[in-house]
């Protein structure tokens, strides 16, 4: 294998796979990526949960392939200047030359690289890249991290077929809060599907979508999902298991509706939560006609209060929240205002986005 | 200067039985457990005069007192009486530490202005207990718990004694060290080896000597020898470090289902007590005593604070399943530590039906508080509810068991 690549092109490609390549692995091969030069050149990286495959622009002098340590090559490429010549040598050595510098890096043969699932003849859906990115952004923050209820460590893609369209619902929850957004897709689907995409897969997908536009294709399989974004294919294993019945926890027919300015609320939360940050992050909302008083009290340190204007006409109510959950939800929402729908101090509160797709977040209060 | 008062009920279980059944009054009565291998838990003073002692088995007791009447203990009756007694104490001071089912410490320092001298308060409490329950109590008073306990011990039964600060040196000078509360046979033996036999000698012993022999408690031993004890009357139950329960089983068991059922009962008792005091813990400790009396504990720390019976039980069973039992089990215990007040800001759960579960437990606790323990219980425990176990001496009325302090 021998190919010439521009520094910027290689650096960008390597940057893209750094998040996929497994750094703490016990399998050395997973800290490598595969570079393959056939008619065109492409690179591949996986941690066995997700896999990323994308093209790379290169002048192919000699066909071939090699598994290369991803981190080390990235460090080298960052420092060198001009065009880079990659050349495989005997015993899986890779010779890297750029300008007057040369490096020798030990690689692994192609055969050692794990076989990645291939897209089969399965159902497919088309979705706008910008829409999908937006939907992920508005839900992924609520997914769990290394929760023992492992299905919570992923983002639910609930696909509900309608006549010639499909409703796509994305749901993320960590058991304390739940974010949900729904959208109609023009593609039809044969049957209802509930797929759980691991958080890492969702985060990688969001990152790739940030620099893409147009329509992407999603292939759905029993154990895997494939996202084709231009020439890039992101594959992810799906989490097996039953996702909680999310619809049940979304409070409905809420009498007390409070409309608050988004930026004002965020700033007030940031300020008041300074006093409660260490231990519990609890902030109390005293909601009255026309205003909310945010209060945080930390017996060991002190307290903070801030009054903000709110559109509200009901009876007064006092309710505690984890400030971080509120800030995560509010930050993810578009529009100038946020609607809070409250039932009782110990029942879930619903936050609704005023603009956009109408993202919602259910937040379980704190007992304060 | 503090004034501490100890109420020690005279042969409590036997006296309660004699009160509830007039035919037993004035006769030698021994209260025994309900199991087959039971021993005497309390003997009435009439029985004691024949030489019947706590811990004797039925056969031994019959030998020294052929006319002895055996009564199977009724724990419900005793715990109820203990609760009622605590109400009486609470009229005199809010600082009440129910130390065991038949002993309670009262800090009456602040009550003297209201009720009169320690002797007068002691008399009033004695009279009220006698009038309401027909029971005799011995009351000991002193400037600290140690001296109050000593005053009670030396004036039993039906006694009333106040050891004043200035009387302490004379009262304890010639007293053998093991007469002091907290000095047991082993420590007394070791002190004896150092030539220390009386409290006077202990109080004069160089602290360095005691420290080199007993380590950190050496200093406390010297203070005890001088009649000094600074330990407070612990009425503030929230300072508890662990909440738990243990029980000697009616018979030795080894089958997992049976152990599981008792663990559920114990988890319920521990959980209920924790809930009553609005505490939740993140560490569950299981105590196991084998038939051979070999006893050990094992604990598991989890990532959240719990006080729900099922969660305690599940964690306890996880511990049990990790133990390879080498013998049949005689006693089981469950306790919760790493306690935190649940009143503190706590994030509620969205998915687990948290509030529903909490309401269920609160309701069940309410029913059991009002109508007696185990009125409402877990179905899994039902096959094993037929016989009550012998009450543990560590029983507290509604109190938190301070096992770690």
């Amino acid at each position: 294998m021998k190919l010439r690549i521009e520094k910027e092109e290689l650096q960008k490609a390597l940057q893209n796979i750094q998040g996929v390549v497994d750094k703490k692995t016990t399998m050395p091969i997973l800290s490598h990526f595969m570079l393959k030069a056939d008619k065109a050149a492409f690179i591949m990286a996986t941690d066995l949960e997700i896999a990323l495959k994308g093209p790379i622009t290169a002048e192919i002098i000699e066909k071939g392939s090699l598994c290369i340590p991803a981190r080390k090559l990235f460090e080298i490429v960052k420092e060198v200047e001009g065009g880079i010549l990659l050349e495989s040598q005997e015993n899986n050595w890779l010779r890297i030359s750029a300008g007057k510098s040369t490096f020798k890096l030990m690689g692994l043969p192609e055969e050692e690289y794990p076989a990645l699932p291939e897209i089969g003849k399965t159902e497919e859906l088309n979705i706008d890249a910008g829409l999908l990115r937006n939907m992920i952004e508005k839900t992924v923050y609520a997914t769990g991290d290394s929760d023992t209820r492992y299905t919570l460590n992923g983002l639910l893609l609930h696909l509900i077929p309608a006549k010639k369209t499909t409703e796509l619902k994305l749901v993320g929850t960590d058991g304390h809060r739940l974010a949900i957004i729904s959208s109609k897709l023009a593609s039809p689907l044969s049957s209802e599907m509930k797929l759980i995409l691991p958080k890492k897969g969702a985060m990688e997908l969001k990152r790739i979508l940030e620099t893409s536009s147009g329509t992407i294709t999603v292939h759905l399989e029993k154990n895997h999902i494939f996202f084709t974004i231009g020439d890039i294919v992101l594959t992810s294993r799906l989490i097996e298991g039953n996702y909680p019945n999310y619809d049940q926890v979304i409070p409905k027919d809420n009498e007390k509706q409070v409309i608050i300015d988004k930026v004002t609320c965020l700033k007030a939360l940031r300020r008041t939560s300074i006093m409660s940050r260490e231990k519990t992050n609890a902030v109390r909302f005293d909601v009255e006609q026309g205003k909310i008083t945010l209060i945080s009290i930390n017996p060991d340190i002190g307290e903070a209060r801030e009054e903000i204007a709110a559109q509200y006409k009901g009876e007064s109510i006092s309710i505690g929240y984890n400030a971080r959950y509120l800030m995560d939800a509010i930050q993810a929402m578009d529009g100038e205002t946020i609607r809070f729908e409250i039932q009782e101090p110990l029942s879930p509160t619903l936050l609704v986005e005023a603009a956009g797709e109408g993202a919602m977040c259910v937040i379980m209060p704190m007992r304060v | 200067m503090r004034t501490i008062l100890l109420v020690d009920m005279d042969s409590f279980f036997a006296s309660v039985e004699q009160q509830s059944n007039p035919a037993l009054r004035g006769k030698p009565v021994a209260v025994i457990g309900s199991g087959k291998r039971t021993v005497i838990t309390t003997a009435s003073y009439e029985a004691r005069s024949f030489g019947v002692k706590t811990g004797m088995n039925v056969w031994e007791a019959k030998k020294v007192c052929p006319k002895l009447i055996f009564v199977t203990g009724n724990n419900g009756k005793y715990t109820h009486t203990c609760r009622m007694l605590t109400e009486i104490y609470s009229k005199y001071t809010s600082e009440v530490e129910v130390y065991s089912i038949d002993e309670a410490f009262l800090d009456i320092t602040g009550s003297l202005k209201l009720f009169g001298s320690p002797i007068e308060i002691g008399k009033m409490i004695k009279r009220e207990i006698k009038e309401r329950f027909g029971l005799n109590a011995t009351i000991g008073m002193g400037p600290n718990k140690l001296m109050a306990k000593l005053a009670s011990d030396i004036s039993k039964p039906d006694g009333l004694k106040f050891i004043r600060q200035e009387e302490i040196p004379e009262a304890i000078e010639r007293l053998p060290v093991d007469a002091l509360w907290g000095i047991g046979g082993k420590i007394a033996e070791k002190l004896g080896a150092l030539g220390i036999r009386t409290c006077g000698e202990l109080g004069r012993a160089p602290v360095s000597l005691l420290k080199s022999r007993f380590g950190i408690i050496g200093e406390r031993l010297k203070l005890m020898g001088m009649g000094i004890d600074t330990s407070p009357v612990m009425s503030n139950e929230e300072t508890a470090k662990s909440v738990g329960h243990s029980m000697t089983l009616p018979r030795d068991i080894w089958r997992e289902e049976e152990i599981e059922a008792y663990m559920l009962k114990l988890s319920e008792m521990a959980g209920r007590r924790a809930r009553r005091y609005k505490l939740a813990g993140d560490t569950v400790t299981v105590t196991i005593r084998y038939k051979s009396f070999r006893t050990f504990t094992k604990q598991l720390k989890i990532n959240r604070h719990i006080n729900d019976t099922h969660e305690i039980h599940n964690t306890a069973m996880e511990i049990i399943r990790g133990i390879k039992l080498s013998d049949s089990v005689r006693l089981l215990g469950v306790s919760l530590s790493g306690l935190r007040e649940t009143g503190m800001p706590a994030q509620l759960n969205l998915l687990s039906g948290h509030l529903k579960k909490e309401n269920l437990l609160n309701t069940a606790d309410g029913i059991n508080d009002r109508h007696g323990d185990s009125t409402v219980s877990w179905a899994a425990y039902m096959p094993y509810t037929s016989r009550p176990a012998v009450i543990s001496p560590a029983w507290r009325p509604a109190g938190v068991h301070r096992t770690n302090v």
Side-chain angles (χ1 to χ4, degrees):
Chain A
M1 181 187 72
K2 189 172 177 182
L3 59 174
R4 196 185 305 277
I5 313 178
E6 283 308 309
K7 170 192 153 106
E8 285 70 31
E9 173 73 8
L10 187 55
Q11 190 174 336
K12 199 182 86 198
L14 289 173
Q15 173 91 61
N16 264 337
I17 57 166
Q18 291 303 317
V20 180
V21 174
D22 211 331
K23 290 168 198 86
K24 292 173 289 191
T25 182
T26 49
M27 288 171 67
I29 190 75
L30 297 183
S31 61
H32 291 56
F33 72 98
M34 185 160 78
L35 176 62
K36 195 163 185 167
D38 198 9
K39 279 176 199 133
F42 63 89
I43 64 172
M44 222 162 27
T46 185
D47 64 352
L48 297 182
E49 183 172 272
I50 61 174
L52 190 65
K53 187 178 165 185
I56 183 164
T57 313
E59 179 197 334
I60 300 165
I61 303 161
E62 200 183 308
K63 290 179 186 176
S65 63
L66 190 65
C67 299
I68 305 164
R71 187 80 217 159
K72 226 14 138 193
L73 184 61
F74 183 48
E75 286 171 18
I76 293 169
V77 171
K78 272 200 294 190
E79 298 305 328
V80 299
E81 282 152 23
I84 299 167
L85 186 70
L86 298 177
E87 211 175 339
S88 60
Q89 298 182 319
E90 269 189 27
N91 296 323
N92 306 310
W93 285 98
L94 177 73
R95 184 188 151 92
I96 306 140
S97 17
K100 291 202 166 92
S101 19
T102 55
F103 297 83
K104 267 180 85 182
L105 191 58
M106 184 139 77
L108 288 165
E110 182 197 356
E111 302 82 68
E112 285 195 25
Y113 208 71
L116 298 180
E118 296 280 333
I119 301 177
K121 284 198 170 175
T122 54
E123 290 225 57
E124 61 174 75
L125 275 172
N126 293 318
I127 181 167
D128 180 73
L131 172 68
L132 184 58
R133 191 204 70 226
N134 187 35
M135 290 177 79
I136 296 173
E137 264 171 14
K138 288 177 179 177
T139 47
V140 75
Y141 67 85
T143 53
D145 276 307
S146 55
D147 199 297
T148 47
R149 295 161 294 181
Y150 53 91
T151 57
L152 301 190
N153 301 326
L155 193 61
L156 176 74
L157 279 66
H158 190 180
L159 294 150
I160 308 148
K163 275 171 197 165
K164 279 179 183 168
T165 59
T166 302
E167 185 184 7
L168 170 64
K169 283 186 181 175
L170 256 55
V171 185
T173 182
D174 62 1
H176 293 153
R177 52 184 167 165
L178 179 144
I180 179 169
I181 189 164
S182 157
S183 187
K184 276 249 182 313
L185 309 182
S187 331
L189 191 74
S190 65
S191 62
E192 182 177 351
M193 290 177 109
K194 277 186 174 179
L195 310 171
I196 307 168
L197 177 64
K199 188 172 194 168
K200 188 177 176 184
M203 297 299 283
E204 275 305 310
L205 178 60
K206 180 168 84 89
R207 199 183 52 76
I208 297 165
L209 291 171
E210 271 158 15
T211 53
S212 332
S213 57
T215 303
I216 71 159
T217 309
V218 186
H219 285 85
L220 311 164
E221 279 187 15
K222 193 167 168 283
N223 299 318
H224 290 92
I225 189 165
F226 301 86
F227 300 92
T228 310
I229 309 128
D231 301 321
I232 301 172
V233 180
L234 176 74
T235 309
S236 176
R237 189 179 56 78
L238 294 169
I239 297 175
E240 277 180 68
N242 289 324
Y243 200 78
N245 182 357
Y246 62 86
D247 200 45
Q248 202 178 292
V249 302
I250 301 172
K252 292 163 187 84
D253 309 321
N254 310 305
E255 275 177 25
K256 302 184 180 74
Q257 305 212 343
V258 191
I259 296 172
I260 316 172
D261 182 74
K262 190 182 131 173
V263 178
T264 312
C265 184
L266 262 181
K267 283 184 176 167
L269 275 168
R270 278 206 199 98
R271 285 191 282 259
T272 43
S273 67
I274 293 171
M275 298 312 284
S276 60
R277 209 175 280 154
E278 283 80 11
K279 258 186 179 169
T280 58
N281 226 357
V283 172
R284 197 174 84 211
F285 274 47
D286 286 354
V287 186
E288 293 163 77
Q289 294 208 353
K291 66 168 184 182
I292 299 176
T293 312
L294 278 69
I295 301 166
S296 79
I297 298 170
N298 185 332
D300 304 329
I301 302 175
E303 55 179 88
R305 277 163 199 274
E306 180 157 347
E307 204 179 286
I308 59 174
Q311 291 179 38
Y312 179 64
K313 291 203 180 69
E315 58 192 76
S316 301
I317 184 167
S318 209
I319 186 162
Y321 297 105
N322 180 329
R324 193 170 65 82
Y325 293 168
L326 282 184
M327 289 192 277
D328 284 351
I330 295 171
Q331 254 158 2
M333 290 181 179
D334 289 329
E336 286 183 356
T337 58
I338 300 281
R339 187 168 80 238
F340 278 60
E341 300 191 9
I342 303 169
Q343 286 183 335
E344 286 167 56
L346 297 183
S347 306
T349 293
L350 183 67
L351 268 64
V352 186
E353 186 181 50
E357 272 74 36
M360 296 192 289
C361 183
V362 184
I363 297 181
M364 199 63 188
M366 291 182 84
R367 202 197 303 269
V368 288
Chain B
M1 171 89 61
R2 297 185 300 158
T3 307
I4 309 297
L5 182 149
L6 170 71
V7 184
D8 188 346
M9 301 303 297
D10 297 333
S11 58
F12 184 54
F13 295 174
S15 304
V16 170
E17 293 300 341
Q18 285 176 322
Q19 281 312 306
S20 60
N21 180 359
L24 299 175
R25 292 183 197 165
K27 294 183 180 147
V29 174
V31 176
I32 52 172
S34 55
K36 277 184 186 138
R37 312 169 304 150
T38 186
V39 294
I40 289 168
T41 54
T42 318
S44 69
Y45 275 92
E46 295 83 357
R48 288 182 199 200
S49 64
F50 288 93
V52 177
K53 289 191 179 105
T54 298
M56 279 184 166
N57 65 32
V58 172
W59 182 78
E60 285 168 332
K62 266 273 188 229
K63 218 167 72 174
V64 296
C65 177
K67 283 189 175 169
L68 189 62
I69 304 165
F70 293 97
V71 180
T72 304
N74 178 338
N75 297 339
K77 233 190 284 186
Y78 313 143
T79 55
H80 177 81
T81 309
C82 181
R83 279 193 197 107
M84 297 292 120
L85 286 168
T86 311
E87 277 179 23
I88 296 180
Y89 309 151
S90 306
K91 292 203 293 196
Y92 294 91
T93 171
S94 58
E95 308 283 305
V96 178
E97 177 184 350
V98 178
Y99 184 74
S100 72
I101 193 158
D102 57 358
E103 292 164 298
F105 286 101
L106 283 63
D107 187 332
I108 53 166
T109 315
S111 317
L112 300 175
K113 272 191 187 141
L114 282 170
F115 296 99
S117 71
I119 291 285
E120 283 171 64
I121 295 179
K123 276 183 183 162
M124 281 191 271
I125 293 175
K126 263 177 79 81
R127 189 165 52 227
E128 195 165 347
I129 294 173
K130 185 77 185 173
E131 277 169 9
R132 280 190 59 186
F133 303 101
L135 298 175
N136 288 332
T138 295
I139 291 186
M141 288 156 292
N144 55 48
K145 283 161 89 172
L146 185 69
M147 288 299 110
K149 174 77 177 161
L150 179 66
S152 151
D153 285 348
I154 57 184
S155 57
K156 255 178 171 309
D158 201 17
L160 178 74
K161 187 170 173 62
F162 180 29
I163 300 180
R164 290 171 184 80
Q165 180 69 36
E166 58 274 19
E167 296 167 355
I168 292 177
E170 205 197 313
I172 65 173
E173 176 60 34
R174 268 177 280 279
L175 200 68
V177 287
D178 58 2
L180 284 181
W181 179 48
I183 298 188
K186 270 201 184 139
I187 295 179
E189 217 171 275
K190 284 184 187 171
L191 285 169
L194 297 173
I196 299 168
R197 285 184 184 78
T198 66
C199 294
E201 286 164 356
L202 180 60
R204 285 187 293 273
V207 73
S208 54
L209 171 74
L210 295 171
K211 267 184 152 171
S212 69
R213 190 73 187 81
F214 296 96
I216 194 132
I217 67 157
E219 207 157 325
R220 239 188 81 206
L221 285 173
K222 182 178 167 77
L223 291 175
M224 286 170 80
M226 297 161 78
I228 298 171
D229 168 30
T230 54
S231 64
V233 168
M234 305 247 251
S235 60
N236 184 4
E237 302 289 2
E238 276 154 5
T239 58
K241 292 208 176 116
S242 78
V243 180
H245 242 294
S246 67
M247 75 203 266
T248 298
L249 310 172
R251 62 188 169 78
D252 298 340
I253 59 173
W254 64 89
R255 280 178 26 236
E256 190 177 308
E257 310 90 81
E258 251 179 302
I259 292 177
E260 182 160 6
Y262 280 112
M263 293 306 278
L264 181 58
K265 171 77 175 170
L266 288 162
S267 304
E268 162 68 5
M269 291 161 104
R272 189 171 153 210
R273 192 177 278 166
R275 293 192 293 273
R276 179 175 289 152
Y277 286 90
K278 302 206 185 318
L279 295 169
D282 64 357
T283 305
V284 173
T285 305
V286 168
T287 305
I288 293 180
R289 177 173 298 155
Y290 284 137
K291 193 171 75 182
S292 61
F293 276 83
R294 193 167 84 77
T295 310
F296 63 97
T297 62
K298 222 173 160 183
Q299 56 178 225
L300 187 65
K301 191 171 176 352
I302 53 173
N303 61 5
R304 59 191 183 282
H305 287 76
I306 58 170
N307 66 9
D308 149 5
T309 302
H310 265 290
E311 286 199 278
I312 299 170
H313 182 239
N314 288 343
T315 314
M317 284 315 293
E318 203 175 309
I319 299 172
I320 293 268
R321 290 192 185 104
I323 299 170
K324 201 167 181 295
L325 292 177
S326 62
D327 199 352
S328 50
V329 176
R330 166 185 179 90
L331 170 142
L332 283 171
V334 174
S335 74
L336 200 56
S337 54
L339 298 176
R340 193 178 82 173
E341 285 170 49
T342 52
M344 272 177 60
Q347 176 64 48
L348 304 173
N349 273 319
L350 193 57
L351 301 172
S352 61
H354 189 95
L355 288 174
K356 216 169 156 182
K357 203 154 75 179
E358 207 174 283
N359 287 340
L360 170 71
L361 289 169
N362 284 340
T363 309
D365 288 351
I367 293 171
N368 289 338
D369 284 345
R370 183 161 180 168
H371 300 288
D373 295 350
S374 298
T375 303
V376 179
S377 177
W378 306 95
Y381 183 65
M382 284 185 56
Y384 307 97
T385 47
S386 50
R387 289 178 301 188
V390 175
I391 195 163
S392 153
W395 184 91
R396 304 282 193 284
V400 175
H401 189 170
R402 247 181 301 269
T403 47
N404 285 358
V405 177

